[in-house]
Amino acid sequence: MTPQERISFLNAGESQKHSQDRTRIFLLTMSSALPRALMKDGNLQAFLKAAESSPSFAASRATSEKILGLAGASLSELQKSPTAQQLDQAGYVNAAATILASKVDIGEWIAYRKSHPAEDVDPADLLMTFILDHGPSLRHGGMRGLEKALKVPPDDRPLDNLLASRQLQRLAPLGSWLQYVRGREALSAPYSELLGEIDAEKLDARSVDDLAVALVTKLDRDWGRSVREQILAKYPVPMRLLTLSGNEFPAKLFFDTVFARKALAPLLADPSASTPAKPELISRDFAWSSWVEVAQSLQAGKKRSDQPYVTVELLQAAGRNSEAAETLSAVVPRTSEESERIGAYATKMLVELLRRCDDEMNPNDAFPVPLYRFGEP
């Protein structure tokens, strides 16, 4: 949409015909994409006027504030302060605080919370307030460098656990899978190590593939490969999409696909690249030769209609998302099982795209904040 089209979309809701449109209600009350776009346009007030006319927006004030905070937190540093000021003037104190907590320099956030203390929190407890404002999940470095300003205690186990739960969002969708496994198996989980690598910018949390490789490498070290493979065969990966419930994808296939994608995607970018050997981490029964054949065909500029799912995975891994979506859309289901399979791959594709787009269309979670931070999406 252009800025004018966004305004027209908002104004259309004033008619009875469009006021109950489900897409409109979703974009006004459950997604951060539209408010973020209107913030960038300089039309935040127009969004608030339209949103506040929706009973759903007014009825769930806490969620609405989180969504507005998420929208503003993904703006440029220059846009954050004036946007937070507008929201403050409109009475959205927590949304304004969330945006200021996401800034590189949190001095403005500290000053704001001193004059606008959070409910049910000791005003002197800046650390707890910062956590409640989603600061750790909104910043590239998490809490790194803020220990002195926020008076972080050197050893506070309950606080460590609360802080970790906020930061675990940056490991999605694999963090929730690991949490589920730990709840049923007596196994350790390298949460702190992964988050530390993300904070130190050694691991790119925007990439599901990079995250998966790092996780499996650590699980093989800690659990042993045989145990890890047993766990993968037992517990599917939940793909969170628009709701709190998860769309499950077989874990063994999920991780094997990651290893194959990372190994073969370079072939699609370089016609002269040599085919790599089968990655060590891939399961012994994985159809590696079929993947190699598809990758070589794509390398030569030819698509294999007989292997649509492999084609989809490799195209997406190579950054050719439109082609991947077109390929999957062209698959005609002949059975209910095939329909479910298409849905599983479509959900997996969308979750990975959401990760690379600040999760802007997927804020409906317990704490709807970005799973990672990067430049303009």
Side-chain angles (χ1 to χ4, degrees):
M1 288 185 179
T2 64
Q4 186 55 50
E5 287 173 335
R6 285 190 275 271
I7 293 295
S8 297
F9 175 82
L10 292 179
N11 293 337
E14 296 177 1
S15 68
Q16 185 65 29
K17 177 180 178 182
H18 295 287
S19 62
Q20 299 303 311
D21 179 79
R22 293 180 65 182
T23 300
R24 175 184 171 77
I25 292 173
F26 171 77
L27 289 172
L28 286 177
T29 64
M30 295 179 65
S31 169
S32 63
L34 184 59
R36 180 187 187 279
L38 287 158
M39 288 173 181
K40 292 189 70 175
D41 296 341
N43 290 322
L44 174 58
Q45 295 303 325
F47 173 82
L48 293 177
K49 179 182 177 182
E52 288 167 355
S53 68
S54 169
S56 300
F57 188 88
S60 54
R61 175 72 180 223
T63 298
S64 300
E65 289 228 34
K66 289 175 182 177
I67 291 171
L68 288 169
L70 164 60
S74 62
L75 296 172
S76 69
E77 287 291 298
L78 291 176
Q79 291 176 300
K80 288 179 180 180
S81 292
T83 301
Q85 185 176 15
Q86 282 186 284
L87 286 169
D88 173 67
Q89 293 171 350
Y92 295 95
V93 172
N94 290 331
T98 293
I99 294 171
L100 296 177
S102 73
K103 295 191 68 174
V104 174
D105 182 355
I106 65 166
E108 191 175 350
W109 172 82
I110 292 175
Y112 185 76
R113 272 312 191 186
K114 284 183 177 179
S115 60
H116 299 76
E119 294 182 9
D120 302 322
V121 181
D122 180 354
D125 193 345
L126 283 177
L127 176 58
M128 183 57 66
T129 306
F130 190 70
I131 292 171
L132 294 175
D133 283 340
H134 313 297
S137 298
L138 290 166
R139 298 168 55 81
H140 276 297
M143 296 291 292
R144 191 174 70 246
L146 303 181
E147 293 83 1
K148 184 176 180 180
L150 297 179
K151 301 178 182 178
V152 179
D155 184 20
D156 188 329
R157 183 62 57 187
L159 183 60
D160 285 346
N161 292 337
L162 176 58
L163 185 59
S165 71
R166 301 288 173 141
Q167 290 182 311
L168 282 179
Q169 295 169 82
R170 302 158 77 194
L171 304 181
L174 301 179
S176 56
W177 173 80
L178 192 56
Q179 203 166 26
Y180 184 83
V181 170
R182 282 197 70 196
R184 287 151 182 80
E185 306 283 346
L187 295 168
S188 60
Y191 294 129
S192 299
E193 190 175 358
L194 288 168
L195 290 169
E197 291 180 8
I198 292 171
D199 286 348
E201 299 183 356
K202 296 178 180 179
L203 176 61
D204 184 1
R206 299 168 296 174
S207 170
V208 175
D209 286 0
D210 288 353
L211 181 61
V213 171
L215 174 59
V216 166
T217 300
K218 290 170 176 51
L219 295 185
D220 283 0
R221 177 199 66 197
D222 298 342
W223 301 353
R225 177 164 180 162
S226 61
V227 173
R228 187 260 296 174
E229 290 183 338
Q230 291 173 26
I231 294 297
L232 294 188
K234 193 174 180 181
Y235 299 105
V237 176
M239 293 288 176
R240 180 174 57 86
L241 181 63
L242 300 180
T243 64
L244 294 179
S245 60
N247 298 278
E248 295 182 342
F249 197 91
K252 182 171 177 287
L253 178 59
F254 178 93
F255 284 98
D256 280 342
T257 295
V258 164
F259 307 141
R261 281 165 47 124
K262 286 191 69 67
L264 295 172
L267 297 184
L268 279 64
D270 183 0
S272 63
S274 300
T275 302
K278 181 179 178 180
E280 176 63 27
L281 290 173
I282 283 186
S283 301
R284 295 169 183 81
D285 58 350
F286 182 75
W288 173 251
S289 59
S290 296
W291 276 69
V292 168
E293 290 174 6
V294 174
Q296 290 173 339
S297 295
L298 290 170
Q299 186 182 33
K302 302 174 184 178
K303 291 183 181 178
R304 292 277 298 274
S305 59
D306 60 322
Q307 293 279 3
Y309 301 109
V310 177
T311 300
V312 165
E313 292 287 0
L314 289 172
L315 287 172
Q316 189 178 21
R320 293 159 59 176
N321 296 304
S322 295
E323 292 178 68
E326 290 171 1
T327 300
L328 188 60
S329 298
V331 180
V332 178
R334 294 181 174 82
T335 64
S336 59
E337 289 79 10
E338 185 72 9
S339 294
E340 291 178 4
R341 189 179 186 190
I342 293 172
Y345 274 88
T347 302
K348 179 175 179 290
M349 179 189 298
L350 185 52
V351 166
E352 292 181 12
L353 289 174
L354 287 167
R355 292 289 307 278
R356 289 198 172 275
C357 297
D358 249 357
D359 218 29
E360 288 183 3
M361 291 296 292
N362 194 18
N364 191 9
D365 199 354
F367 308 107
V369 296
L371 303 176
Y372 47 81
R373 293 280 301 140
F374 62 114
E376 291 298 310

